Structure formats: structure tokens, C-alpha cells
């Protein structure tokens, strides 16, 4: 942090600190909404983790997770001019995490939850959203879902399809898989089938946790049962967010001209060279292959737009608007190997921020 005003004389000090700041304190005490105007909260996000689900590394703890949170802070600043502070909590208890973040919240304009394992991440986000009057956004869920939806919108354009005509198989029912399934449902995808390590999720399956029980109510309308190969028969789209692997034989039952997003990183569920044997469009989570599904396309602009709009939460309409904005940034370059813009394209965060802000303002 550096001062935007000089601090070289006694008069400077009297304005920047005591007694000058007392006037600002009095103003905010009389009207708390002025905090966003007179303090850094209007441009400051907390990046909060407990280190339990870091990248592909898993539960490595809060200290080892700090480099990822610092990297996230660098991306916030570079791509959207948003300041952020990494906060790595030495607890995995949802009650303690919610209490700690709630107590810290007055210093921030938004909360970015990061790398918290499922299913605890769903409860933590839900409770914070209901408690706080600033945006709360779990990027592993919603950032991944938004960019995936943007990529799918463009993929169906390339293959001359419609979202409503698709059967999409999502492999993985963790944070990303659940959020992607919900986003696809909200966007009007025709049929969604979700598989976890035990096979297809359906309403009659035993031992489903509450999140998967809810997921079963909005997916698999045909009541399919069985493994991933069964789910993929006739499917036009496969989205992998499991960290596992899919045998090539399971891909043989997919529809012609298929779409495969194998997003596990660093090792995709299906190797790109194998995926191309069955799909006309292939995306991964890796930067060394075309069509990288990268959350940096979403989260900087989403927070920029939410902060600029003084939003109190992130709505579903804001998420869908962000996905549309990302998809539209590809423009005339749209092709099988170009269904998402480059993460380094400076126009993306601007477009996403404008779309998110407009979606918030349109709700009134």
C-alpha cells in the first residue's frame, strides 16, 4: 500500500492521520454506506482459504497454500485493478471459518473463497452469503462454471447446435462439477447427467449427501443408472472436472461431432490426442493446449463489476451475464480451436465487469 497524497509536512500528517481522519470516521459513523466512498473497501477483496483443496495438490494446509493466494492477488490487480489480501486460515471447521470471515468482513468490499474442499465449501459460501452484505464468491465453483458455460455456448455455435438440444455428461460432483451442472441447468441445457466415483447420480441412489440429493432433482431426467460409459452413450458433450481418468472405450458411444472438455489439471481425464479421435472440439485446463478453460477469464471482471455496482451479492443473472460476455469476446475468431478468448486479452475483464454491473443494476 502506498499513499496517494504527500506525507512530508506536519500539515500533511494532520490531514492524512489525526485529526483529519476523525472527520471521515464521524461521517461513516453517521452513514455506513460512505465507507465504500471514503475507504479502500470499494476496491479490496479478501482471498480466503483453508488450504484443503489447492489446485491438483489437495489438502496441503494454509501455509503451503499461500503462494496460490498470492498469485490470485496478483491476477486481481493485473487484470482488473482490484486490490486483494490473501488470508489463509488455520482451521477447517466451517463454523470457525464463517465466524472468522464474518468478523473480518468490515475491512473488505468482497470475499473470494478459494480452494476449500467440498462439501464444506457449499455450506460456508451459503452461510456467508446470508450473513454478509458484500459479494461472496467461491471461485472454484462459480468461476469454473462461468468459463465452462462460455466455452460451451461457443462450441455449440461452431457445431451448429442449441443448448436445449444437448445431453451433457459432467464427470465429477465436487465444487466445480456441482456449480457447472447448476449453471448449465440455469442456461437451459436440455439434459444433464452427473457422474461421481460411484457412477451416475440419480434420485434413487443411496447415501447421497444433501448437495448431491439436490443435484439429482435437476439432472438425469431419464433416470439413467450405471457408470460413465452408460452416461456417455449418445451424449454430445463431456465435461470432466474429476481429476480421474476415462477409458477410451467409454468415448466410443458418444454422438458424432462431440464436444469434450477434459478440465482436470495438470492431467486431463482424457488426453487431448485421444479426445480428438471422438470430438471436433476439445478443451482442457492447460495453457499448452488450445481452448484453455481458465478462471482468470471470469473472477477479475466479476469482482470489478460487483464492486463498481456496489452489489451486495453475486446473482445468478450476473454469472450468466459474465459467461455471455466471455463468449462474445471471441468474436470473429470463433473456430474449433478458439472457443474462449485468451486469458491475456485485456478486453475480457472490461467486458465481464460491464456485463456484471449491468446485470446487477437491471434487477432493480
Amino acid at each position: 500500500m502506498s499513499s496517494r497524497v504527500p506525507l512530508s509536512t506536519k500539515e500533511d500528517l494532520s490531514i492524512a492521520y489525526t485529526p483529519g481522519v476523525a472527520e471521515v470516521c464521524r461521517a461513516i459513523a453517521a452513514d455506513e454506506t460512505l465507507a465504500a466512498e471514503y475507504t479502500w473497501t470499494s476496491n479490496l477483496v479478501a482471498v480466503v482459504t483453508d488450504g484443503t483443496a489447492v489446485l491438483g495438490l489437495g489438502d496441503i494446509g494454509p501455509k503451503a497454500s499461500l503462494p496460490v493466494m498470492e498469485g490470485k492477488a496478483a491476477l486481481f490487480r493485473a487484470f482488473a485493478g482490484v486490490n486483494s489480501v490473501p488470508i489463509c486460515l488455520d482451521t477447517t471447521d466451517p463454523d470457525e471459518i464463517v465466524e472468522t470471515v464474518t468478523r473480518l468482513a468490515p475491512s473488505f468490499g468482497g470475499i473470494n473463497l478459494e480452494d476449500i474442499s467440498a462439501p464444506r465449501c457449499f455450506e460456508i459460501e451459503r452461510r456467508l452469503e446470508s450473513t454478509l452484505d458484500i459479494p461472496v464468491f467461491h471461485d472454484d465453483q462459480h468461476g469454473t462454471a462461468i468459463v465452462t458455460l462460455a466455452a460451451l455456448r461457443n462450441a455449440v455455435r461452431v457445431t451448429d447446435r442449441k443448448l436445449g438440444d444437448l445431453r451433457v455428461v459432467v464427470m465429477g460432483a465436487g465444487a466445480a462439477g456441482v456449480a457447472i451442472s447448476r449453471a448449465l441447468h440455469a442456461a437451459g441445457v436440455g439434459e444433464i447427467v452427473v457422474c461421481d466415483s460411484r457412477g451416475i447420480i440419480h434420485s434413487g441412489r443411496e447415501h447421497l449427501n444433501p448437495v448431491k440429493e439436490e443435484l439429482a432433482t435437476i439432472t438425469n431426467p431419464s433416470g439413467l443408472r450405471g457408470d460413465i460409459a452408460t452416461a456417455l452413450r449418445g451424449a454430445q458433450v463431456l465435461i470432466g472436472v474429476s481429476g480421474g481418468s476415462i477409458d477410451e472405450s467409454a468415448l466410443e458411444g458418444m454422438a458424432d461431432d462431440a464436444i469434450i472438455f477434459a478440465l482436470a489439471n495438470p492431467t486431463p481425464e482424457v488426453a487431448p490426442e485421444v479426445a480428438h479421435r471422438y470430438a471436433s472440439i476439445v478443451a482442457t485446463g492447460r495453457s499448452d493446449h488450445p481452448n484453455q478453460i481458465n478462471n482468470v477469464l471470469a473472477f477479475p471482471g466479476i469482482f470489478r463489476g460487483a464492486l463498481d455496482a456496489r452489489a451486495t451479492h453475486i446473482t445468478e443473472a450476473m454469472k450468466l451475464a459474465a459467461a455471455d460476455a466471455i463468449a462474445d469476446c471471441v468474436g470473429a475468431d470463433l473456430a474449433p480451436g478458439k472457443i474462449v478468448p485468451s486469458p491475456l486479452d485485456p478486453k475480457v475483464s472490461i467486458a465481464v465487469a460491464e456485463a456484471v454491473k449491468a446485470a446487477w443494476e437491471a434487477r432493480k
Side-chain angles (χ1 to χ4, degrees):
M1 183 180 69
S2 60
S3 177
R4 290 181 293 185
V5 297
L7 293 172
S8 54
T9 68
K10 291 179 64 176
E11 288 74 20
D12 294 338
L13 190 60
S14 70
I15 293 172
Y17 196 48
T18 184
V21 290
E23 294 304 314
V24 185
C25 293
R26 290 191 182 104
I28 295 172
D31 180 1
E32 288 190 351
T33 64
L34 292 176
E37 182 176 348
Y38 292 149
T39 74
W40 68 353
T41 59
S42 61
N43 197 46
L44 187 68
V45 172
V47 181
V48 180
T49 189
D50 63 0
T52 55
V54 180
L55 299 176
L57 304 174
D59 185 356
I60 60 174
K63 287 186 178 180
S65 71
L66 183 56
V68 177
M69 305 309 120
E70 290 177 335
K72 193 90 174 190
L75 297 178
F76 263 122
R77 183 65 191 176
F79 291 104
V82 173
N83 296 319
S84 59
V85 177
I87 298 177
C88 301
L89 300 178
D90 190 15
T91 178
T92 60
D93 181 84
D95 292 337
E96 293 181 354
I97 292 173
V98 170
E99 180 184 11
T100 302
V101 175
T102 300
R103 292 182 185 279
L104 289 170
S107 293
F108 297 93
I111 306 295
N112 183 108
L113 299 176
E114 191 77 18
D115 294 344
I116 299 173
S117 64
R120 295 175 312 113
C121 61
F122 304 115
E123 175 192 352
I124 290 167
E125 182 187 47
R126 176 183 55 78
R127 290 172 60 184
L128 287 172
E129 283 181 330
S130 66
T131 301
L132 302 180
D133 60 355
I134 57 176
V136 178
F137 186 82
H138 184 210
D139 189 46
D140 302 295
Q141 288 185 63
H142 310 300
T144 304
I146 288 165
V147 182
T148 300
L149 177 58
L152 187 59
R153 285 195 184 281
N154 278 342
V156 297
R157 290 171 184 163
V158 172
T159 57
D160 196 25
R161 292 181 169 116
K162 296 179 180 179
L163 289 177
D165 297 332
L166 295 179
R167 181 150 71 86
V168 178
V169 175
V170 179
M171 180 181 174
V178 170
I180 288 169
S181 300
R182 289 172 175 167
L184 297 183
H185 181 262
V189 168
E191 183 176 357
I192 305 158
V193 179
V194 184
C195 294
D196 62 9
S197 59
R198 296 176 55 214
I200 297 171
I201 292 176
H202 56 85
S203 57
R205 211 179 87 178
E206 296 180 346
H207 308 302
L208 293 176
N209 64 38
V211 173
K212 292 181 182 180
E213 285 181 353
E214 186 272 335
L215 197 59
T217 67
I218 63 169
T219 63
N220 194 13
S222 300
L224 292 177
R225 303 184 180 209
D227 58 9
I228 184 68
T230 301
L232 285 173
R233 288 189 196 117
Q236 295 90 1
V237 182
L238 164 64
I239 300 174
V241 281
S242 68
S245 62
I246 299 175
D247 191 88
E248 182 174 353
S249 62
L251 305 177
E252 295 174 355
M254 293 188 71
D256 294 338
D257 207 22
I259 298 165
I260 295 178
F261 296 173
L263 305 183
N265 200 7
T267 305
E269 291 86 354
V270 181
E273 60 272 17
V274 174
H276 277 292
R277 297 173 193 162
Y278 303 92
S280 58
I281 297 180
V282 175
T284 72
R286 295 174 58 114
S287 60
D288 55 349
H289 291 281
N291 296 330
Q292 183 191 18
I293 307 299
N294 192 325
N295 288 20
V296 75
L297 290 167
F299 71 81
I302 287 170
F303 271 97
R304 176 77 280 153
L307 291 169
D308 290 346
R310 305 284 171 86
T312 57
H313 56 281
I314 306 292
T315 66
E316 291 303 313
M318 292 161 80
K319 297 171 192 174
L320 293 176
D324 286 343
I326 293 167
D328 290 343
C329 281
V330 176
D333 294 331
L334 183 62
K338 184 72 172 180
I339 58 171
V340 287
S342 165
L344 299 174
D345 185 344
K347 298 189 300 293
V348 177
S349 62
I350 296 172
V352 171
E354 291 174 350
V356 166
K357 182 180 179 182
W360 173 258
E361 293 172 345
R363 93 204 191 289
K364 298 176 182 177

